[in-house]
């Protein structure tokens, strides 16, 4: 009897035993290459913290974080088979931080020490992202580079198995040369760049002497600072189809020359509008940009589903009118898969809480009472007080994809 019970018990124990822990990867830099356990690794992904399974399906390999969300993201990324650039928020001199003041620097370095020790053995960790645009908007940036070096030197001492990344706001004003000279412990360079600046970014960075891996640490089809404007200075936002076309163009221009590209933003963020940089709706649907990402990265959207397309969106009689007038907006949308689509309309005030460097903005107020006769082909707008506004159209296909567009307008 004993001889029969022991093998059965052993099998039962094996069935319910905890899985062996997954070891942390060793990530190294060799020339301009990033190697994970000795194999070349392409950094393809997004800044954000949601829908990891969909990202993996699109062909992404990487998620970039900025700060405190790292623990959650590491765990979820590991489940999805993704790596993480674990961001640590280094405070900005433009907001009053002084890298020459030990009373400020000391506690920040202590938090960095705790951060690295907490996450350095996680199997999803790819590298450490030290700060984001710390040098931005400074007439004198000399204090920044020694501060970055001190942080990078500390991290390399605490964790020699994952590289250090610094993220700059574009590459102008000899920033890259300053980083090379004053922060040699930075092993990977990240540069945030958007729109027409993207194709020339690699050559501009290399011209300043950077020979290591280059990651476009934020990229997007167009920044609001690059857009055309109305006579009252409202930035004109491309619709989701136009954004996807631009994104495809930038992918083609960049991929032979960089070691990574991170698209901003995999989620929903108010910045000028709720849709300008948002690749997902608040309800989780993806826009056509996801198709551009999948095409560039060798992935697919779920079941090959394609987002609705917008072929026309305009006001019937211009974008300025007098108080009391009723104006009609027209839209023409179609779904390439033949899915039944629905159009949701909204009116919001033009944002007046415009910030720089991605700082948080308040969402402008909405005016649902101004909408009349909303439908799949258009809507009327009436009854607004003088001011600047935007009309938003959100189109869903009921299968997880969406299209977005907005038109700025003015009531005189």
């Amino acid at each position: 009897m004993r001889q029969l019970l022991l093998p059965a018990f052993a099998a039962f124990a094996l069935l319910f035993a905890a899985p062996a822990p997954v070891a942390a990867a060793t990530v190294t830099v060799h020339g301009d290459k990033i190697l994970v356990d000795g194999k070349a690794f392409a950094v393809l992904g997004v800044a954000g913290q949601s829908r990891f399974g969909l990202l993996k399906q699109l062909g992404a390999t990487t998620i970039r974080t900025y700060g405190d969300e790292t623990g959650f993201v590491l765990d979820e990324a590991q489940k999805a088979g993704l790596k993480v650039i674990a961001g640590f928020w280094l405070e900005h001199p433009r907001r009053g931080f002084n890298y020459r003041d030990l009373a400020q620097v000391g506690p920040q370095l202590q938090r960095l020490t705790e951060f690295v020790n907490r996450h350095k053995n996680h199997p999803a960790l790819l590298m450490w992202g030290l700060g984001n645009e710390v040098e931005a908007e400074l007439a004198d940036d000399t204090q920044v580079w020694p501060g970055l070096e001190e942080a990078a030197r500390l991290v390399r001492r605490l964790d020699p198995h994952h590289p250090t990344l610094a993220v700059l706001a574009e590459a102008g004003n000899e920033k890259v040369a300053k980083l090379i000279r004053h922060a040699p412990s930075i092993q990977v360079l990240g540069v945030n760049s958007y729109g027409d600046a993207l194709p020339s970014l690699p050559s501009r960075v290399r011209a300043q002497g950077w020979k290591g891996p280059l990651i476009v640490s934020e990229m997007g089809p167009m920044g609001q600072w690059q857009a055309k404007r109305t006579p009252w200075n409202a930035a004109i936002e491309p619709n989701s189809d136009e954004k996807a076309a631009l994104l495809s163009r930038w992918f083609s221009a960049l991929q032979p020359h960089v070691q990574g590209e991170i698209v901003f933003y995999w989620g929903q963020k108010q910045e000028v509008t709720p849709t300008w940089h948002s690749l997902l709706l608040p309800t989780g649907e993806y826009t056509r940009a996801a198709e551009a990402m999948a095409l560039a990265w060798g992935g697919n959207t779920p079941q090959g589903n394609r987002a609705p397309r917008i072929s026309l969106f305009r006001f019937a009689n211009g974008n300025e009118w007098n108080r009391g007038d009723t104006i009609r907006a027209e839209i023409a949308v179609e779904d390439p898969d033949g899915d039944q689509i629905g159009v949701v309309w909204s009116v919001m005030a033009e944002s007046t809480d415009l910030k720089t460097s991605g700082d948080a903005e308040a969402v402008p107020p909405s005016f649902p009472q101004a909408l009349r006769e909303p439908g799949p082909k258009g809507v009327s707008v009436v009854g607004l007080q003088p001011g600047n506004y935007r009309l938003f159209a959100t189109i869903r296909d009921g299968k997880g994809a969406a299209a977005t567009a907005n038109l700025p307008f003015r009531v005189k």
Side-chain angles (χ1 to χ4, degrees), residues 51-250:
R51 301 214 63 183
F52 298 157
L54 172 57
L55 273 176
K56 181 69 173 179
Q57 187 170 354
L58 296 178
T61 64
T62 310
I63 296 166
R64 180 191 169 199
T65 70
Y66 292 74
D68 294 341
E69 74 278 12
T70 296
F72 158 77
V73 174
L74 283 165
D75 291 343
E76 294 303 311
Q78 178 64 16
K79 294 175 187 176
L82 299 167
K83 294 293 185 185
V84 177
I85 299 173
F88 180 83
W89 188 259
L90 295 175
E91 195 47 78
H92 290 211
R94 69 181 176 86
R95 299 201 289 201
F97 194 88
N98 185 354
Y99 279 89
R100 298 186 179 97
D101 184 354
L102 292 178
Q104 295 185 58
V105 174
Q108 179 167 268
L109 292 177
Q110 179 58 40
R111 291 194 300 274
L112 177 58
T113 299
E114 295 167 357
F115 179 79
V116 172
N117 286 334
R118 183 162 61 249
H119 299 303
K120 66 182 180 181
N121 295 317
H122 201 289
L125 179 63
L126 180 67
M127 65 182 73
W128 303 102
L130 300 178
N132 183 69
E133 303 184 358
V134 181
E135 84 296 346
E137 299 180 46
L138 296 178
D140 179 7
D141 58 13
T142 54
Q143 66 164 294
V144 167
W145 313 111
L148 277 172
E149 170 61 15
E150 188 172 22
R153 193 167 58 243
L154 170 64
V155 170
R156 292 186 67 175
R157 185 171 71 249
L158 295 171
D159 178 19
H161 303 300
H162 299 93
T164 52
L165 165 82
V167 174
L168 306 181
E170 259 298 338
N173 300 320
E174 295 298 308
K175 291 181 184 181
V176 179
K178 293 174 186 176
L179 182 78
I180 294 169
R181 186 162 58 249
H182 297 295
S185 296
I186 294 295
Q187 297 162 280
V188 181
L189 174 62
V191 180
N192 296 345
S193 186
Y194 289 79
D196 289 332
L198 283 162
S200 66
L201 178 65
S203 61
R204 291 187 286 116
V205 166
R206 299 302 180 190
Q208 294 186 47
W210 181 259
K211 301 185 184 305
L214 169 61
I215 294 175
V216 187
S217 42
E218 279 183 19
M219 63 177 287
M222 178 185 291
Q224 59 268 26
W225 56 92
Q226 300 165 318
K228 294 180 180 179
R229 294 183 174 269
T230 66
W232 55 93
N233 204 35
I236 299 173
E237 179 179 345
N239 67 35
S240 52
D241 293 321
E242 294 164 337
K243 291 176 185 176
L246 288 169
L247 203 56
S248 292
R249 184 190 303 175
W250 309 145

Side-chain angles (χ1 to χ4, degrees), residues 263-294:
V263 186
F264 187 88
Y265 173 68
W266 188 248
Q268 200 281 327
K269 183 178 190 289
Q270 166 66 36
E271 191 167 337
V272 181
T273 75
T275 55
W276 198 296
H277 296 288
S278 302
L279 299 169
L280 301 176
L281 268 59
T283 44
E285 291 90 349
Y286 57 87
T287 60
R288 191 174 176 180
E291 297 174 43
M293 292 155 63

